[in-house]
Amino acid sequence: MAAAIPHDRRIHPGSGRRRGLDHPKGRQVEPAALDEVRRVLGARERRRDLLIEHLHLLQDHFGCLHARHLAALAEEMRLSLVEVYEVGSFYAHFDIVLDGETPPSLTVRVCDSLSCELAGGQRLLDELRARLSEEVRVVRAPCMGGCHNAPVAAIGHALHEKASVESVLSAIASGDAHPKVPAYRNLASYRQEGGYRLLETCLAGKRGPEDVISALEHSGLRGLGGAGFPTGRKWRLVRAEPLPRLLAVNADEGEPGTFKDRYFLETDPHRFLEGLAIAAWAIEAKDAVIYLRDEYPQCREILERELAALETAGLLRDVRVDLRRGAGAYICGEESAMLESIEGKRGLPRHKPPFPAEVGLFGRPTLINNVETLFWIRDIVEKGPDWFSSHGRNGRKGLRAFCVSGRVKEPGVKIAPSGITAQELIDEFCGGMEEGHVFKGYLPRGASGGILPAAKADIPLDFGTLEGEGSFVGSGAVVVLSDHDDMKGVALNLLKFFEDESCGQCTPCRAGTEKAVQLLEAPAWDEALLNDLAGVMSEASICGLGQAAMNPVKSVLKHFREDLAS
């Protein structure tokens, strides 16, 4: 007897052709799932650039991203399913659960970046995995911006700092998984101290954009997110571009050792917000976006409160400010990757030129500044550019925030003169080294700035002073190391971070970071191969992640050869 023909391959009687499938191809949208998605989204717009925001809403509501909801979201937003899946799977904070899988009841993330590893983060991770039930997922995670309070865990997304096994277990048992909002200067107290008078003067026409931009140029203020481009010049370049222009604020500090934006947002958010409003006024931007890392839910709550207060007070009448959440991707700290993420896409860096000042967010000229840069605007304009430039040491000018963590007695954000040395930071601002520790080396700008020995701790920390040593100051994330630390292990920790955080777009970075980790895990380093790999990655990678990823390795080979024999 002839074998039965599969149902979807039967032939029409009387015809010589196969007929099509009896059901549509691909994953089908479940009506119940579509109803659930519509209830969660409510009356919100279904714009393409809001995809990541809508994914956050679903994850917050259901605790994960069910496959059925992703299919329904694609239908609701008129997107292909692959567009939704590729974005949801790109970001670390989105948890996609396939049909038949059981999502964890809770996720605990334990930071494995350098400062937390120095403080026992790996032990904390291992013990929590051993003691928590299978229903609680315990995973390692990159820097959460709590380096000064290491080790750090996140229960859900709420930071739990100076964490121990018992403190984390106690917090879980008590249901304490909500962000802790610290005391901060709110709108009323900020205005009592003269806040927003400068903005009101600008809006009233008593100051002109040229006056403000000129003050920034004469002050010497540079971009403090890491690149160091002169702020006044950037504002002038964007203002020269055709309307409409946009403003994007980079608050996605993910560099290990960096937590200064968090500090400003948790203590004096309106000084930053006034700087934002003045920047938007100066370039005539009617729309501004704050891109905030998802690891800072307490900062998001502060900004939501205070932006609402500003709207009520009528102080944002000339600019609409949109607060967007990152989703756990270090690469989105790179300005063009951030723009892609704001547009609802994967955070893949763009090729340059064109630069964002010409073709930025949604193809429009865009001014990009970070939180700290905007924080200084009010003081510089009100007190005058000479006030700002009068600060500084060792022939340098200005003030800036240094994030100091690691083997010091008093870690934290230190507002210090530009040009201060690492040794001066440790001695004058951090109470010296921890007891029993001898200063051995330091990272002047977190993971990508390389590692310098203590013998070079007298170099001024500023733009242009460290490049001769194969390093740079960048965002000013200073991690202090001691004689207790093996520099081979430090380099391996940093390269594992870059391996995890590579966006995967370009082969030199994607394959290079993975290969570097393999080489560093070997008992003896193959120096020739590491140097060859470093050359390829620095010259051929699209963005700064791949270009700078091998700096820690090059530093160990140059400055800490005694550790190579261990």
Side-chain angles (χ1 to χ4, degrees):
M1 188 173 76
I5 300 174
H7 178 72
D8 61 348
R9 287 290 179 263
R10 291 175 186 167
I11 301 174
H12 284 281
S15 78
R17 296 178 300 169
R18 295 180 185 274
R19 78 181 205 189
L21 299 178
D22 287 340
H23 56 81
K25 292 182 178 180
R27 177 181 289 276
Q28 300 309 297
V29 177
E30 300 175 16
L34 186 58
D35 288 342
E36 289 173 331
V37 167
R38 286 172 175 168
R39 283 197 296 270
V40 171
L41 298 190
R44 296 174 179 86
E45 295 182 77
R46 272 52 166 173
R47 300 197 321 261
R48 174 67 175 82
D49 64 289
L50 294 176
L51 174 58
I52 292 173
E53 294 298 301
H54 294 344
L55 290 171
H56 273 304
L57 289 172
L58 293 173
Q59 170 113 354
D60 291 345
H61 186 83
F62 295 104
C64 62
L65 295 176
H66 289 285
R68 64 180 185 276
H69 291 143
L70 295 181
L73 181 62
E75 173 74 14
E76 184 68 6
M77 296 187 70
R78 301 294 186 265
L79 298 173
S80 67
L81 187 54
V82 70
E83 288 179 281
V84 175
Y85 262 93
E86 71 174 4
V87 172
S89 60
F90 180 85
Y91 295 92
H93 287 187
F94 291 142
D95 302 313
I96 296 178
V97 176
L98 301 178
D99 296 337
E101 294 182 342
T102 302
S105 60
L106 179 69
T107 295
V108 176
R109 291 178 169 86
V110 180
C111 180
D112 68 350
S113 290
L114 182 57
S115 296
C116 283
E117 182 169 295
L118 297 179
Q122 185 61 49
R123 292 193 303 274
L124 178 64
L125 176 67
D126 294 340
E127 291 181 28
L128 286 175
R129 281 177 168 168
R131 295 186 57 177
L132 284 169
S133 69
E134 293 182 358
E135 295 180 356
V136 178
R137 184 179 66 154
V138 182
V139 297
R140 64 184 184 89
C143 186
M144 300 176 187
C147 317
H148 55 314
N149 292 320
V152 178
I155 303 172
H157 287 313
L159 291 184
H160 189 80
E161 300 177 290
K162 296 184 178 178
S164 66
V165 173
E166 297 305 325
S167 68
V168 173
L169 294 178
S170 175
I172 293 173
S174 64
D176 185 13
H178 302 287
K180 296 177 177 62
V181 178
Y184 65 91
R185 186 177 289 112
N186 63 14
L187 177 59
S189 61
Y190 182 72
R191 296 198 78 176
Q192 286 175 356
E193 299 173 3
Y196 290 105
R197 289 180 189 168
L198 175 59
L199 175 62
E200 290 175 323
T201 299
C202 293
L203 294 176
K206 296 177 182 178
R207 283 183 183 269
E210 178 59 35
D211 178 28
V212 172
I213 293 174
S214 179
L216 298 182
E217 289 175 329
H218 285 91
S219 73
L221 178 67
R222 300 175 70 168
L224 298 172
F229 193 87
T231 302
R233 190 193 309 172
K234 180 184 279 191
W235 288 26
R236 190 178 296 282
L237 289 171
V238 175
R239 184 173 168 79
E241 294 293 324
L243 291 169
R245 309 179 195 113
L246 301 175
L247 170 63
V249 179
N250 190 339
D252 191 56
E253 54 177 6
E255 183 84 9
T258 308
F259 44 92
K260 61 181 180 173
D261 289 352
R262 172 190 172 186
Y263 168 81
F264 292 124
L265 295 175
E266 286 185 343
T267 57
D268 199 1
H270 283 283
R271 196 171 297 268
F272 150 67
L273 289 171
E274 185 169 10
L276 179 156
I278 292 169
W281 162 82
I283 67 164
E284 301 179 65
K286 299 301 182 183
D287 290 279
V289 180
I290 302 172
Y291 186 85
L292 178 68
R293 68 183 311 208
D294 199 35
E295 288 85 350
Y296 292 167
Q298 75 284 5
C299 296
R300 186 172 69 252
E301 189 167 331
I302 290 170
L303 287 172
E304 287 172 345
R305 287 181 193 172
E306 300 310 311
L307 285 170
L310 285 175
E311 288 284 356
T312 301
L315 289 167
L316 292 179
R317 59 184 179 272
D318 285 352
V319 60
R320 186 181 71 88
V321 181
D322 192 6
L323 179 60
R324 297 292 187 92
R325 294 169 66 176
Y330 163 74
I331 191 61
C332 291
E334 195 276 336
E335 61 179 12
S336 65
M338 178 191 71
L339 298 180
E340 290 287 299
S341 189
I342 293 172
E343 293 178 3
K345 307 170 190 173
R346 294 176 294 164
L348 302 181
R350 300 174 180 177
H351 290 276
K352 301 174 187 177
F355 294 94
E358 303 164 303
V359 181
L361 188 59
F362 306 119
R364 299 174 181 173
T366 303
L367 172 64
I368 301 176
N369 280 143
N370 83 313
V371 171
E372 186 190 359
T373 304
L374 295 172
F375 181 87
W376 291 112
I377 301 302
R378 175 191 164 191
D379 283 337
I380 289 173
V381 178
E382 285 188 338
K383 298 177 181 179
D386 291 341
W387 166 82
F388 188 75
S389 61
S390 68
H391 296 277
R393 289 192 187 179
N394 302 305
R396 315 304 293 184
K397 295 181 179 181
L399 289 167
R400 67 176 307 167
F402 291 94
C403 312
V404 187
S405 62
R407 308 296 195 177
V408 294
K409 289 180 180 177
E410 301 169 12
V413 172
K414 314 296 179 180
I415 308 297
S418 296
I420 194 171
T421 68
Q423 190 67 63
E424 289 169 339
L425 265 179
I426 294 169
D427 295 340
E428 299 177 33
F429 288 81
C430 301
M433 297 290 293
E434 282 186 5
E435 294 297 333
H437 288 260
V438 177
F439 185 25
K440 181 177 180 179
Y442 66 104
L443 283 66
R445 72 137 298 159
S448 58
I451 313 167
L452 295 179
K456 294 186 179 294
D458 58 350
I459 301 174
L461 297 176
D462 198 12
F463 298 108
T465 61
L466 299 168
E467 281 75 0
E469 300 296 333
S471 185
F472 44 102
V473 71
S475 60
V478 179
V479 183
V480 179
L481 305 168
S482 78
D483 58 338
H484 291 211
D485 302 317
D486 170 31
M487 295 304 179
K488 287 175 64 178
V490 169
L492 178 59
N493 175 278
L494 299 176
L495 263 294
K496 284 182 175 179
F497 168 79
F498 288 124
E499 179 188 24
D500 286 344
E501 295 298 325
S502 173
C503 74
Q505 180 179 192
C506 68
T507 302
C509 179
R510 180 185 66 250
T513 52
E514 180 181 1
K515 181 63 175 179
V517 168
Q518 295 172 359
L519 292 171
L520 298 186
E521 288 177 330
W525 285 8
D526 186 333
E527 294 188 33
L529 190 52
L530 283 169
N531 282 320
D532 187 36
L533 181 61
V536 171
M537 291 176 64
S538 63
E539 293 177 12
S541 296
I542 290 175
C543 80
L545 191 155
Q547 293 164 8
M550 291 295 283
N551 283 344
V553 177
K554 291 188 286 187
S555 297
V556 173
L557 292 173
K558 181 177 180 180
H559 298 299
F560 301 98
R561 299 204 62 83
E562 66 277 8
D563 287 41
L564 296 177
S566 61

